[in-house]
Structures are given as C-alpha cells and as structure tokens.
Amino acid sequence: MSRKYVILNSDEVSSVDFSQVDETSENTLRYSLDNSQTFVKFDTDTTPSFLEGKTQYSHSEILAILATDEWTDPNPLS
C-alpha cells in the first residue's frame, strides 16, 4: 500500500468524504496560491469513490507539483 495524492478544484471540496482521506476537514487542506485547487491524500489500495477517475500522484510527483509557482510563493515574505 502506498500513499496517493489527488488534486481537486476548490469547488469539489464539498464532495470530500473526510473519513476516507488523511485530512480531517476542509480547514486542514492546503490550497494553491490562487485558492483554485487543493489536494487530498489517502493510504489505501482502494480509491475512495468520490476520487474515482481523477489523476492520482505519487509522493515525488505531488512534491514536484507543490514546488511550482502555482502552489509555493517564489518570493515569500521574510
């Protein structure tokens, strides 16, 4: 079993069943800088039904995505 990550549009958060993912609520999600996207992670070989058909990423793949300017401010305030 390996951890998988799925990126969602922010308007899909209401469909998340938090009992099937590692996050506990909408308040624990990380959003893209423009707040248009977020992601969830899960540790099961069975994909939660509300995530079926969505692209799944590995840990290294999601880290590369989160390092982009869409997710991480290239000029953070000191």
Side-chain angles (χ1 to χ4, degrees), residues 7-52:
I7 295 174
L8 301 169
N9 290 325
S10 295
D11 62 359
E12 296 176 285
V13 169
S14 62
S15 71
V16 174
D17 180 347
F18 287 99
S19 69
Q20 296 184 44
V21 296
D22 291 351
E23 292 73 23
T24 58
S25 73
E26 184 176 345
N27 297 330
T28 61
L29 297 173
R30 176 180 171 183
Y31 287 86
S32 59
L33 294 179
D34 67 2
N35 289 317
S36 67
Q37 294 184 310
T38 189
F39 68 95
V40 293
K41 56 188 172 291
F42 59 97
D43 286 321
T44 177
D45 289 330
T46 304
T47 302
S49 59
F50 66 94
L51 296 176
E52 285 181 10

Side-chain angles (χ1 to χ4, degrees), residues 59-77:
H59 186 250
S60 59
E61 290 171 327
I62 200 71
L63 286 179
I65 292 168
L66 296 179
T68 66
D69 291 349
E70 290 179 82
W71 290 87
T72 302
D73 189 344
N75 302 304
L77 297 176

